[in-house]
């Protein structure tokens, strides 16, 4: 009897092992990490679920507001648990240089290979676009609203309280445009000139904001009359009825990108997913769910995005042409990193 | 004895000693032994500015909390029991609300279109809204509010132990109420003052959310240096060095205070 039971147990466990084996080979999976909130929900509907279905894989999701420290510790520990990360493009480049991010083989990623070269790097592919724009209160400026960074710096013609992001990225670009540099002639940034111009506006800056939510609240509550903010944050506040608006003129076009952690546990599946995630149709679905532009410009040729919707998006070609395209390559260069460090002492003086 | 406390010791080892040790190790080791992180903390002026500002704010918060907290604790001690329970409840109640929520509440009160500015404008006391927040002022106001219980409770505990007979004795010898207060009650309450001030000062040194939300970006306290070094500049070593210096500063303060009163008293155990 006892022996009988033993065989039964052995049989059952063998069966279980067999099942586990087939399950693992049938269902490939990856762990995908993004920034959470409404944004991650929107991409789940537009991109992640359709990609998982089409590829027959399981996409496990995780979210973190700032992935960089986690990327560093995970890869540093030698056993990363994430595969693909959606993070500001600069981190992908910096991570690539520090050996934390896999180099991409674009022959395996045809959808990305069809994108403009300025939208990808050896380590990353643009995934979605947002813009740092000049936003203002329509109550304070019912007509003759500020329309450029020159206007933002002009405290006589446009009196009012101002806010900027407590971060040099996009802020230095705005300062240079305020000083007359053309949007397509910004890089390499003249850092001295930018900081000098910032000193000029510094006394008029009421708040140096640190989070997107904070920037939205400042504008919504009338705490400031104009500020640099991300387009999606401003349009969200406007949708809720606040009298606020923004202009894409001289906006700074920024992107988050997809990149793959060095030594990712499911590398092959991750590459397959990366190709699928920038498929023009999936990409075109994203702006139907949230106010961000597709990372793949071919999405505008799929007829999924209606022309009036396209006109609202930061990466729509006509809007993009009014803006400066951020050079993440410059920001992750030694000069860029030095400018970031200089910011801390600029803030405290 | 050792067998009895060893589980507790293990917990302390795993949750406190090891992480803090790792933190200290990180601050001196990066591809070899280095004091570079400490050199920067002690020579670069952004660190000095932050430490000085943190010290100033903590001092201001401690003094204001003492001035506000002493009368409250005194009243709670002097009034009949029902009243004192009510006063203490009002002091402790905000304690259970998250620091984040209270910081946002202060934002709603103090900002340009906030309750206080609206009221002052309605009463025609001001024509332009006052800058009450996004500066050091707003930071100090909110921090005082959050830390006030740490001042009131040790004060109240000390005052409770002052025998009422002593005051009566003073009065029977002909001293006026203000004289008995100055000569008898105040000196006897000083351990509570020291305990409360130490708690508030030390807690304020490590404040993070309040200056971040109400400081307008310019009020860079030491804890914000730690987070910026990690998030923005990816300098774990520099962040660790700042944290170690702050930790040593706090330990030094506790050591100095323990020369005057027992630490159990500061921490509210006795």
């Amino acid at each position: 009897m006892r022996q009988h039971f033993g065989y039964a147990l052995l049989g059952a466990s063998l069966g279980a092992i067999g099942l586990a084996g087939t399950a693992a080979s049938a269902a490939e999976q990856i762990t995908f990490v993004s920034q959470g909130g409404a944004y991650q929900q929107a991409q789940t509907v537009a991109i992640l679920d359709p990609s998982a279905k089409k590829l027959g894989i399981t996409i496990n999701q995780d979210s973190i507001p700032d992935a960089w420290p986690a990327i560093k510790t995970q890869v540093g520990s030698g056993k990363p648990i994430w595969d693909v990360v959606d993070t500001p493009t600069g981190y992908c480049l910096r991570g690539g240089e520090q050996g934390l991010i896999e180099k991409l083989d674009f022959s395996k990623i045809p959808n990305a290979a069809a994108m403009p070269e300025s939208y990808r790097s050896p380590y990353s592919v643009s995934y979605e676009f947002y813009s740092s724009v000049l936003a203002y209160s329509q109550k304070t400026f019912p007509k003759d609203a500020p329309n450029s960074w020159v206007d933002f710096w002009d405290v006589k013609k446009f009196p009012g309280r101002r806010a900027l992001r407590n971060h040099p990225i996009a802020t230095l670009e705005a300062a240079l445009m305020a000083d007359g540099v053309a949007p397509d002639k910004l890089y390499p940034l003249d850092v001295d000139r930018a900081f000098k111009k910032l000193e000029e506006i510094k006394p008029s800056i009421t708040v140096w904001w640190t989070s997107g939510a904070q920037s939205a609240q400042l504008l919504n509550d009338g705490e400031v009359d104009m500020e640099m903010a991300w387009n999606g944050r401003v349009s969200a506040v406007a949708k809720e009825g606040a009298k606020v608006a923004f202009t894409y003129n001289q906006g700074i076009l920024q992107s988050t990108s997809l990149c793959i952690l060095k030594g990712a546990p499911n590398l092959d599946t991750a590459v397959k997913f990366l190709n699928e995630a920038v498929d023009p149709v999936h990409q075109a679905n994203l702006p139907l769910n949230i106010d961000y532009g597709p990372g793949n410009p071919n999405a505008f040729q799929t007829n999924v995005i209606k022309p009036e919707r396209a006109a609202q998006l930061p990466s729509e070609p006509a809007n993009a042409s009014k803006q400066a395209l951020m050079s993440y390559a410059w920001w992750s260069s030694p000069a860029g990193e030095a400018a970031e460090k200089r910011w801390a002492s600029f803030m405290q003086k | 004895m050792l067998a009895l406390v060893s589980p507790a010791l293990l917990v302390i080892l795993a949750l406190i000693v090891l992480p803090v040790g790792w933190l200290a190790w990180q601050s001196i080791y990066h591809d070899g032994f280095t004091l570079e992180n400490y050199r920067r903390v002690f020579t670069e002026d952004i660190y000095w500015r932050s430490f000085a500002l943190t010290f100033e704010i903590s001092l201001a918060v401690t003094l204001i909390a003492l001035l506000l907290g002493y009368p409250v604790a005194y009243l709670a001690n002097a009034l009949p029991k029902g009243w004192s329970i009510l006063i203490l409840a009002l002091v402790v109640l905000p304690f259970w609300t998250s620091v984040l929520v209270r910081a946002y509440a202060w934002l709603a009160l103090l900002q340009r279109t906030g309750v206080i500015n609206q009221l002052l404008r309605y009463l025609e006391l001001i024509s332009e809204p006052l800058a009450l927040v996004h500066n050091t002022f707003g930071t100090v106001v909110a921090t005082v509010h959050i830390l006030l219980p740490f001042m009131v409770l040790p004060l109240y505990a000390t005052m409770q132990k002052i025998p009422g007979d002593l005051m009566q004795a003073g009065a029977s010898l002909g001293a006026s109420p203000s004289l008995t207060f100055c000569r008898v009650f105040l000196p006897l309450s000083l351990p509570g003052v020291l305990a409360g001030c130490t708690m508030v000062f030390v807690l304020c040194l490590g404040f993070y959310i309040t200056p971040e939300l109400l400081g307008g970006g310019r009020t860079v306290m030491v804890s914000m240096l730690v987070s910026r070094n990690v998030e923005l500049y990816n300098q774990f070593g520099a962040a660790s060095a700042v944290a170690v210096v702050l930790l040593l500063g706090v330990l030094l303060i506790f050591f100095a205070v323990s020369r005057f009163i027992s630490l159990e008293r500061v921490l509210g155990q006795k």
Side-chain angles (χ1 to χ4, degrees):
Chain A
M1 181 62 205
R2 203 171 148 185
Q3 204 178 14
H4 197 83
F5 179 73
Y7 279 123
L9 199 67
L10 186 68
S13 46
L14 278 177
I17 291 167
L19 267 176
T22 49
S25 62
E28 293 175 52
Q29 56 170 345
I30 58 158
T31 302
F32 171 83
V33 183
S34 185
Q35 293 144 39
Y39 167 55
Q40 192 155 349
Q41 272 169 20
Q43 56 172 308
T44 302
V45 175
I47 298 172
L48 302 179
D49 285 349
S51 298
K53 209 169 157 197
K54 201 161 145 196
L55 297 174
I57 61 170
T58 306
I59 299 178
N60 308 306
Q61 292 194 42
D62 202 346
S63 67
I64 189 167
D66 184 2
W68 177 247
I71 294 176
K72 212 173 146 65
T73 22
Q74 276 199 22
V75 181
S77 75
K79 262 201 158 316
I81 48 171
W82 293 345
D83 293 291
V84 183
V85 184
D86 165 20
T87 193
T89 309
Y91 290 150
C92 297
L93 296 185
R94 192 190 283 177
E97 280 154 20
Q98 296 183 9
L100 304 172
I101 298 294
E102 288 281 348
K103 204 158 197 167
L104 298 176
D105 176 358
F106 283 97
S107 68
K108 290 184 186 158
I109 316 172
N111 281 332
M115 285 161 60
E117 252 179 65
S118 57
Y119 284 20
R120 54 193 157 90
S121 82
Y123 305 101
S124 64
V125 180
S126 288
Y127 182 55
E128 52 90 32
F129 276 101
Y130 60 100
S131 183
S132 291
V133 294
L134 169 53
Y136 53 88
S137 154
Q138 288 175 314
K139 271 192 212 153
T140 319
F141 306 106
K143 51 187 176 184
D144 297 332
N147 189 42
S148 68
W149 296 114
V150 174
D151 292 349
F152 188 90
W153 255 253
D154 192 341
V155 293
K156 284 213 183 76
K157 198 169 152 202
F158 298 96
R161 312 206 326 166
R162 289 154 161 80
L164 282 173
R165 187 182 175 204
N166 191 353
H167 201 291
I169 285 191
T171 318
L172 295 193
E173 279 90 340
L176 287 171
M177 285 191 264
D179 209 25
V181 180
D184 56 342
K185 299 274 187 298
L186 286 169
Y187 299 97
L189 295 186
D190 185 341
V191 177
D192 288 334
R193 186 173 167 188
F195 275 107
K196 202 172 153 224
K197 193 71 184 170
L198 277 167
E199 291 288 354
E200 233 176 75
I201 195 73
K202 201 176 177 188
S204 309
I205 302 292
T206 314
V207 185
W208 298 89
W209 56 264
T210 44
S211 73
Q214 193 190 359
S215 73
Q217 175 257 328
L218 290 170
L219 204 57
N220 187 46
D221 294 357
E223 186 65 10
V224 298
D225 302 299
M226 64 172 101
E227 64 172 348
M228 172 185 272
W230 294 317
N231 68 290
R233 295 288 184 173
V234 188
S235 54
V237 171
K239 232 174 254 167
E240 280 167 24
K243 294 288 234 177
V244 298
F246 71 90
T247 171
Y248 276 124
N249 189 38
Q250 294 194 343
I252 296 112
L253 196 55
Q254 289 165 262
S255 62
T256 67
S257 284
L258 297 182
C259 52
I260 301 175
L261 265 62
K262 192 93 182 175
N266 309 292
L267 181 59
D268 294 337
T269 318
V271 173
K272 266 191 247 169
F273 164 75
L274 209 137
N275 181 55
E276 193 60 33
V278 292
D279 168 79
V281 177
H282 295 329
Q283 284 272 311
N285 280 323
L286 182 67
L288 307 185
N289 293 283
I290 197 160
D291 289 335
Y292 296 123
N296 187 346
N298 297 335
F300 288 107
Q301 282 138 35
T302 56
N303 293 326
V304 175
I305 315 173
K306 300 258 178 321
E308 58 271 23
R309 178 63 180 144
Q312 300 167 342
L313 299 175
S315 58
E316 187 265 339
N319 286 336
S321 69
K322 287 187 223 166
Q323 302 176 63
L325 180 64
M326 165 150 304
S327 167
Y328 289 100
W330 185 85
W331 277 106
S332 63
S333 74
E337 289 192 6
E340 267 194 35
K341 295 229 167 78
R342 193 166 157 182
W343 184 263
S345 48
F346 165 75
M347 278 313 299
Q348 287 191 30
K349 267 177 203 152
Chain B
M1 182 60 190
L2 192 66
L4 273 176
V5 296
S6 61
L9 283 178
L10 278 177
V11 169
I12 291 174
L13 184 75
L15 296 181
I16 299 175
V17 178
L18 287 180
V20 172
W22 181 73
L23 188 82
W25 173 249
Q26 249 192 343
S27 68
I28 53 167
Y29 190 87
H30 181 79
D31 303 331
F33 174 79
T34 172
L35 283 176
E36 171 62 16
N37 291 318
Y38 288 96
R39 187 195 64 73
R40 288 180 48 197
V41 170
F42 287 106
T43 55
E44 284 187 16
D45 65 343
I46 61 160
Y47 291 99
W48 272 119
R49 278 174 215 271
S50 268
F51 272 104
L53 180 75
T54 306
F55 203 81
E56 278 167 29
I57 289 181
S58 302
L59 209 59
V61 166
T62 308
L63 285 177
I64 297 169
L66 180 62
L67 289 176
L68 292 175
Y70 198 94
V72 173
Y74 185 84
L75 270 183
N77 181 51
L79 290 175
K81 190 139 195 183
W83 284 104
S84 77
I85 287 174
L86 180 72
I87 292 176
L88 289 178
L90 287 177
V91 169
V92 174
L93 214 57
F95 207 52
W96 294 323
T97 315
S98 115
V99 174
L100 191 66
V101 170
R102 280 186 279 168
Y104 273 114
W106 277 108
L107 207 56
L109 285 173
L110 295 176
Q111 65 186 359
R112 185 157 67 145
T113 52
V115 179
I116 291 173
N117 266 321
Q118 300 278 36
L119 188 71
L120 291 176
R121 282 177 97 169
Y122 176 75
L123 298 172
E124 295 187 350
L125 290 170
I126 52 169
S127 57
E128 276 298 302
L130 303 172
L132 300 174
V133 77
H134 297 304
N135 49 27
T136 310
F137 177 82
T139 309
V140 169
V141 169
T143 310
V144 166
H145 174 235
I146 289 162
L147 290 179
L148 205 53
F150 293 96
M151 182 64 83
V152 173
L153 295 179
L155 278 174
Y156 176 75
T158 310
M159 290 174 183
Q160 277 266 291
K161 288 190 204 104
I162 300 174
D165 309 355
L166 292 180
M167 317 297 290
Q168 284 171 7
S172 74
L173 291 172
S176 66
S178 60
L179 193 66
T180 32
F181 175 80
C182 291
R183 301 285 292 272
V184 180
F185 192 86
L186 190 63
L188 286 172
S189 69
L190 281 182
V193 171
L194 189 60
C197 287
T198 312
M199 283 301 283
V200 170
F201 188 81
V202 163
L203 286 171
C204 191
L205 285 180
F207 250 49
Y208 174 62
I209 295 173
T210 324
E212 182 77 51
L213 283 174
L214 302 173
R218 277 166 301 237
T219 315
V220 185
M221 288 178 70
V222 172
S223 51
M224 289 156 78
L225 276 186
V226 176
S227 83
R228 286 217 178 135
N229 266 314
V230 171
E231 286 171 15
L232 207 55
Y233 306 122
N234 179 33
Q235 306 258 347
F236 285 69
S240 306
V242 175
V244 167
V245 171
L246 185 62
L247 184 65
L248 289 179
V250 167
L251 290 178
L252 206 68
I253 292 170
F254 273 128
F255 175 74
V257 170
S258 74
R259 309 282 302 243
F260 297 103
I261 55 172
S262 76
L263 268 184
E264 285 87 3
R265 189 147 197 172
V266 176
L267 299 170
Q269 299 296 309
K270 271 184 190 164

